[in-house]
Amino acid sequence: MDKHYLTPLFTPESVAVFVGSVDDPSTQTAQAVALLEALRAQRFTGTLQFLDIHTSGTLADLAQARADLAIIALPPSDVAPALELAGRMACRSALVISSGITAEQSTELKKIARREGIHLLGPNSLGIQRPQLQLNASAAGPLASTGSLALVSQSGALTSSMLDWARSNGVGFSSVVSLGPHTSVDIAQALDFLANDAQTHSIVVYMEGISNARRFMSALRSAANAKPVVVLKAGRKAAGNEAAQTHSGAIVGSDDVFDAALRRAGAVRVRSFVALFSAAKCLASRYRPVGKRLAIVTNGGGPGVLAADWVNEISLQLGKLSSESIAALKPQLPPLASLADLIDLSEDAGPEHFKAAIAAAEKDRQIDGMLAIYSPKAGGDAAAVATALAEVKRTIGKPLLSCWMGDASVGAARGILKEAAIPSFRTPEAAVGAFGNLASFYQNQLLLQQTPPPLSTLNKPDIEGARLVIESVLAERRKVLTEMESKTLLSAFHIPVTTTMLARSANEAMMIATQLGFPVALKIDSPDISHKSDVQGVALNIVNATGVRDAYNDMMQTVARLQPKARINGVTVQNMASAKRGREIYIGLVTDDPFGPVIAFGAGGTMIELINDRAMELPPLNQFLARRLIERSRVAETLGEWRGNTAVNMDALEQVLLRVSEMVCELPQLREMDINPFIVDEHGAVAVDARIVIDHASQAASGGTNHYGHLAILPYPARFEQVWPLPGGGEYSVRPIRPDDAQMLQDLMQHLSPESRYFRFVSSITELPPTMLARFTLIDYDREMALVAVFKERTAGADGEITETERIVGVSRYITNPDQSSCEFALVVADDFNGKGLGSRLMLSIMDVARERGLAEIDGLVLANNPGMLKLMRSLGFSVKTFAEDADFKIVSHAL
């Protein structure tokens, strides 16, 4: 039960191959011919059996065979019978390489696979490669060499191209997965397996679209938390999107939103096929996330300046040696060397000079990575310099990239660099861009670690009041809220708005304006008019009562003429918000397909479309994410001291973004929202105008077990936090796990007794590997849950001062099984807290969560020689049975 559910597909011990008659090529499709050639080119580590559904005996005879994986490369009419036969053979996975299968036939194959309990990859797929197993179950050409890089692609043509490139560049793979347009095992499931695959250290993905944003984000976040993931996505522009939809059968969303989703998932996006190859080079070298400071070591000023220009262009930082490093390095270099910005070694530089400069940069804390650029010189030895880099690479930990300019004269040098696994590029820009990918991964990992709750720690909003406003509007069969209704909604979440009052006559407008104080603004109030300025429904800077009366009458007449069928409630009157020293901001909400609601931020005012300043972030937000969202906008440069204006109140602005995030999380009916302009200055912020569009919430978001089904990223489930008493005094808290619990979880593991560790992990490991630790602490709260028991220990220092430190003393977790109706649990309690009721409490709490999620059964494996756990399970009402696959285990189950 510890194996991943896709293990039979990607790590099969036995394979059944359906290709027609093995001895008669006339019965084989083109894919079958290519598949047979690929399978026979090397010796698979498991067992292969070739079957023909027409001549291999009766169905009963065939059904006696057994296999983990069935590979089907047959004409479309024979695929369904072969898949049904695979089910009778107890195959748990199937790969369909046949092409020309229609969407209708694909739907039928999925039904068969679901009925037989088979995980289906394909149809119309080029297949998979698992080099370590010597398994080439593909029509994508020869088996790739073994490596630690995984490739997942939604394009067969690109898969073949990537493998061809890898063969000539010395790049090896742990896995190659080619996904068809109608496959049942999708990109999310492939990522989920690779995230847990010990042979895979990095992942590159080519994709055209996704069909389920929540599942995709869950798998991508899990994978990127454990290892670097680089994504190339097609369909960036409108025409490309249209093509991608018809080609992949998946929904392609706004490119800006996709960027925001990848950032939040901790992955890196590249924009071209060339950049994907560059990223693959770096990942194959096993480089890990770094900062943004790149030192450029060169023997030519021109190429070095080009590289420095590109560093600035893509928002990296030029890594500069400290004064101490310069003093130590200078005596080792030629007299004309310059170390002010670039590490320019001059034209006289030889191998020992490059070696000394790289070693100095490696030791300098102001530098995160190094790029060595070599320009061919008369009398120079490009190969000797490359050899020097290969030697120094063995002793450094920072990323080292290279760019050997030229062609014929540096061919041998590039071969040396390739052999040393030093990424080599032909241009400085390509090398800097590759380092930029590493830096982006580092930055995006910070976003990945954020797990905000749906509600911030600010004053609680009036959620029920806001819902009543929405329900009343929907009851009137309207979707666009009036300005008054929109501002009421904002006020319910404590977002400051200008005082706005509705006048139903010119006299009433004059009285309201006089009470509010001049100048004022008048705006038409109608549920049928979205853009008030288009019908001359806005009048600004009115300075006296006569002006208010005239503006009211003129506005009512003009709107009635331009929009005669519009229902008009009257005219709103509000103070003019002073913008002399304030900045006009836009804060909004867009609903993307497939990623759902997305929060937008940028420059506001009447020029919003022209400026087109819109940064995006997926909800929920916390203060860190809100600040990063602001920083990504172009208007961020004006929010500090700017042109004589004092800096704006950033805390107030961030709080508004947190409030908008709360609205998005708690009100699934929201579809669009424009707060424009939102005026912010040193004193605070206020919404001057707002437009909100709503619709009925989808079934996933409005009811059932998941109130936040409309979000692509599930918020931190703070509602499961509890406090429980300890026998004999004291208390402990139970709460969902967070990414920042990693060190406390490792401490728990290291202090367990050998017996407790063995009972939990069936292993003698003394600490959790980094990938497992990351996997255990950053989880998808939708498909799994981990609850930690946290005890606050009080210790007295030498001065008598009492300090409190938190300690994790127990963990219970479950993960939903592929059937989506049951889950598997695990439990561990610190040895010094055994017998205090923590095990029972953690199990009851995790069962409550699983029950709320709509799961029907919880089960787990317990070693037969673990009497304490078996006693606990029986006391909680679990059934205990011998595990059929291994008598050393008992399987314990409980209906929820």
Side-chain angles (χ1 to χ4, degrees):
M1 293 176 73
D2 288 334
K3 290 183 178 180
H4 193 276
Y5 64 91
L6 290 182
T7 296
L9 173 63
F10 291 113
T11 315
E13 296 180 2
S14 55
V15 178
V17 185
F18 296 87
V19 288
S21 174
V22 177
D23 301 319
D24 184 3
S26 65
T27 66
Q28 299 167 8
T29 64
Q31 288 79 16
V33 172
L35 175 65
L36 285 172
E37 181 181 348
L39 286 169
R40 290 168 167 169
Q42 59 283 310
R43 186 177 182 84
F44 171 50
T45 57
T47 59
L48 281 174
Q49 51 184 323
F50 297 91
L51 302 174
D52 183 351
I53 61 172
H54 297 298
T55 61
S56 295
T58 66
L59 288 178
D61 294 335
L62 288 171
Q64 297 302 311
R66 289 289 182 270
D68 295 324
L69 169 64
I71 306 175
I72 302 171
L74 295 170
S77 59
D78 289 339
V79 173
L83 188 60
E84 289 183 333
L85 180 56
R88 297 187 190 182
M89 294 170 61
C91 291
R92 298 279 65 84
S93 61
L95 169 61
V96 177
I97 298 182
S98 305
S99 63
I101 294 178
T102 65
E104 292 76 17
Q105 290 173 315
S106 297
T107 301
E108 181 60 28
L109 293 178
K110 288 181 181 180
K111 289 181 180 178
I112 296 172
R114 195 177 302 114
R115 184 181 69 234
E116 300 292 341
I118 293 174
H119 297 292
L120 175 63
L121 178 61
N124 304 323
S125 160
L126 283 189
I128 62 172
Q129 293 188 5
R130 291 282 278 172
Q132 190 173 40
L133 299 177
Q134 293 293 288
L135 175 62
N136 187 1
S138 77
L143 182 66
S145 58
T146 301
S148 60
L149 181 66
L151 169 64
V152 182
S153 173
Q154 288 182 324
S155 165
L158 191 138
T159 303
S160 299
S161 300
M162 190 81 171
L163 290 174
D164 187 50
W165 169 86
R167 275 188 289 274
S168 61
N169 282 271
V171 173
F173 294 92
S174 63
S175 306
V176 177
V177 185
S178 173
L179 300 167
H182 304 295
T183 182
S184 179
V185 172
D186 60 11
I187 195 166
Q189 292 170 292
L191 285 171
D192 190 68
F193 174 82
L194 295 171
N196 295 278
D197 180 33
Q199 309 306 321
T200 298
H201 297 150
S202 338
I203 305 169
V204 291
V205 179
Y206 170 79
M207 60 183 300
E208 295 172 350
I210 59 172
S211 55
N212 186 308
R214 168 66 69 75
R215 196 165 62 204
F216 170 74
M217 287 297 290
S218 170
L220 183 59
R221 283 165 58 84
S222 175
N225 188 44
K227 51 200 71 172
V229 180
V230 178
V231 178
L232 171 62
K233 177 184 173 291
R236 284 192 283 146
K237 301 302 180 184
N241 282 351
E242 184 177 348
Q245 283 185 352
T246 56
H247 180 59
S248 69
I251 301 169
V252 178
S254 157
D255 202 56
D256 291 335
V257 176
F258 192 84
D259 265 352
L262 284 190
R263 275 195 305 269
R264 190 68 179 275
V268 173
R269 181 178 186 179
V270 295
R271 302 286 174 171
S272 69
F273 192 51
V274 173
L276 187 66
F277 285 152
S278 297
K281 282 185 182 181
C282 290
L283 295 179
S285 299
R286 306 278 293 273
Y287 289 143
R288 285 299 168 261
V290 292
K292 300 171 66 174
R293 301 167 299 181
L294 176 65
I296 298 172
V297 182
T298 179
N299 69 337
V305 172
L306 287 175
D309 286 345
W310 201 245
V311 164
N312 293 326
E313 184 71 23
I314 63 174
S315 301
L316 296 175
Q317 296 173 12
L318 188 62
K320 301 176 184 179
L321 291 170
S322 65
S323 57
E324 294 81 6
S325 297
I326 291 175
L329 178 62
K330 188 74 173 174
Q332 305 177 53
L333 302 180
L336 296 179
S338 171
L339 305 178
D341 291 317
L342 303 175
I343 305 177
D344 185 352
L345 304 179
S346 82
E347 294 184 356
D348 300 325
E352 69 281 3
H353 302 125
F354 271 89
K355 194 171 182 179
I358 296 296
E362 156 69 17
K363 296 175 184 176
D364 199 309
R365 293 185 178 181
Q366 297 179 181
I367 292 171
D368 299 311
M370 294 82 71
L371 168 59
I373 304 177
Y374 180 84
S375 300
K377 307 292 181 184
D381 191 340
V385 176
T387 301
L389 254 66
E391 291 173 357
V392 77
K393 180 182 183 291
R394 302 190 194 106
T395 62
I396 64 176
K398 295 177 182 177
L400 172 61
L401 288 72
S402 65
C403 173
W404 257 232
M405 307 285 286
D407 193 12
S409 65
V410 297
R414 287 184 180 139
I416 294 170
L417 295 168
K418 174 182 171 183
E419 187 68 25
I422 298 175
S424 176
F425 303 90
R426 293 178 180 269
T427 67
E429 294 86 351
V432 173
F435 180 81
N437 291 332
L438 293 174
S440 295
F441 188 84
Y442 171 78
Q443 297 295 321
N444 293 351
Q445 286 288 296
L446 299 178
L447 303 182
L448 171 63
Q449 299 300 317
Q450 309 303 311
T451 52
L455 295 177
S456 68
T457 56
L458 302 172
N459 292 337
K460 188 175 180 181
D462 182 8
I463 299 173
E464 289 306 315
R467 287 173 179 162
L468 288 174
V469 172
I470 290 174
E471 289 169 5
S472 66
V473 172
L474 291 175
E476 296 177 13
R477 298 186 178 182
R478 289 192 290 121
K479 294 185 179 180
V480 180
L481 275 64
T482 65
E483 182 184 357
M484 292 285 288
E485 291 165 337
S486 296
K487 287 185 173 178
T488 300
L489 223 56
L490 297 180
S491 296
F493 282 80
H494 306 299
I495 296 175
V497 298
T498 53
T499 302
T500 305
M501 302 181 70
L502 180 65
R504 301 182 185 276
S505 68
N507 284 336
E508 193 175 354
M510 286 192 297
M511 288 188 292
I512 292 172
T514 302
Q515 292 173 18
L516 293 177
F518 295 99
V520 296
L522 270 61
K523 301 176 186 177
I524 197 72
D525 188 80
S526 168
D528 303 316
I529 299 174
S530 300
H531 300 285
K532 296 181 275 290
S533 58
D534 291 351
V535 294
Q536 299 179 34
V538 179
L540 304 176
N541 282 312
I542 304 173
V543 296
N544 54 47
T546 303
V548 170
R549 180 196 63 197
D550 294 342
Y552 182 98
N553 291 328
D554 291 345
M555 186 180 295
M556 294 292 283
Q557 292 172 10
T558 303
V559 172
R561 175 171 53 82
L562 295 177
Q563 196 121 344
K565 294 184 179 180
R567 293 167 292 172
I568 298 176
N569 299 325
V571 172
T572 60
V573 184
Q574 60 184 271
N575 285 118
M576 286 294 299
S578 173
K580 289 181 181 180
R581 306 182 67 84
R583 281 62 144 190
E584 292 189 339
I585 301 297
Y586 159 83
I587 297 176
L589 160 73
V590 295
T591 300
D592 177 76
D593 195 352
F595 287 103
V598 184
I599 296 170
F601 179 90
T606 56
M607 304 288 284
I608 181 172
E609 288 87 0
L610 183 62
I611 298 173
N612 193 28
D613 176 23
R614 189 168 64 169
M616 292 186 172
E617 187 60 84
L618 270 63
L621 302 182
N622 59 14
Q623 191 170 11
F624 178 88
L625 293 169
R627 178 64 63 95
R628 287 300 178 91
L629 174 59
I630 294 169
E631 290 172 351
R632 284 199 300 273
S633 68
R634 294 204 299 273
V635 76
E637 297 180 14
T638 72
L639 300 180
E641 293 184 0
W642 186 69
R643 293 189 176 181
N645 294 328
T646 55
V648 305
N649 187 332
M650 289 296 292
D651 288 339
L653 190 54
E654 289 169 8
Q655 285 187 17
V656 170
L657 285 171
L658 295 181
R659 291 301 193 183
V660 170
S661 174
E662 292 179 342
M663 291 181 69
V664 174
C665 292
E666 298 298 334
L667 305 176
Q669 300 90 345
L670 297 181
R671 293 294 178 270
E672 298 175 37
M673 179 165 62
D674 289 341
I675 309 176
N676 180 37
F678 196 96
I679 296 179
V680 57
D681 59 21
E682 66 269 28
H683 303 297
V686 63
V688 176
D689 200 356
R691 174 180 177 269
I692 295 177
V693 179
I694 60 173
D695 203 345
H696 293 281
S698 65
Q699 185 175 359
S702 60
T705 61
N706 185 7
H707 175 59
Y708 303 107
H710 59 299
L711 302 177
I713 300 175
L714 199 67
Y716 179 77
R719 66 186 183 282
F720 295 130
E721 295 176 345
Q722 301 170 315
V723 177
W724 296 94
L726 279 169
E731 62 183 23
Y732 64 97
S733 61
V734 174
R735 59 166 174 79
I737 202 165
R738 300 189 301 250
D740 56 6
D741 288 328
Q743 188 54 55
M744 284 199 293
L745 189 64
Q746 188 73 279
D747 290 342
L748 170 65
M749 175 68 179
Q750 291 171 342
H751 289 91
L752 288 174
S753 66
E755 182 182 55
S756 295
R757 278 197 295 266
Y758 186 79
F759 282 159
R760 169 61 181 90
F761 296 100
V762 197
S763 167
S764 58
I765 60 172
T766 57
E767 66 177 26
L768 297 172
T771 53
M772 186 180 293
L773 192 61
R775 173 71 187 82
F776 281 171
T777 52
L778 193 147
I779 66 174
D780 176 358
Y781 300 112
D782 193 23
R783 63 175 179 169
E784 58 188 309
M785 181 58 70
L787 298 177
V788 292
V790 180
F791 177 69
K792 289 186 178 180
E793 292 183 319
R794 295 185 176 185
T795 56
D799 57 357
E801 185 178 351
I802 303 296
T803 58
E804 278 191 347
T805 56
E806 288 192 334
R807 174 189 168 200
I808 290 179
V809 294
V811 186
S812 62
R813 66 174 66 240
Y814 77 74
I815 185 165
T816 305
N817 290 322
D819 62 14
Q820 301 298 310
S821 64
S822 64
C823 61
E824 180 182 354
F825 79 88
L827 173 68
V828 65
V829 175
D831 292 280
D832 55 332
F833 275 76
N834 279 330
K836 298 185 178 182
L838 266 71
S840 298
R841 171 42 50 201
L842 284 168
M843 280 305 302
L844 290 171
S845 295
I846 204 73
M847 290 166 67
D848 286 342
V849 177
R851 194 175 292 114
E852 182 185 304
R853 292 283 190 242
L855 298 174
E857 183 176 88
I858 185 169
D859 51 49
L861 284 180
V862 180
L863 281 166
N865 62 345
N866 187 353
M869 178 67 89
L870 292 173
K871 179 181 178 181
L872 172 63
M873 292 298 104
R874 289 190 176 97
S875 71
L876 295 174
F878 279 73
S879 64
V880 180
K881 299 178 182 177
T882 300
F883 185 45
E885 298 179 22
D886 191 337
D888 289 339
F889 289 90
K890 301 288 186 181
I891 184 166
V892 298
S893 304
H894 195 296
L896 298 170

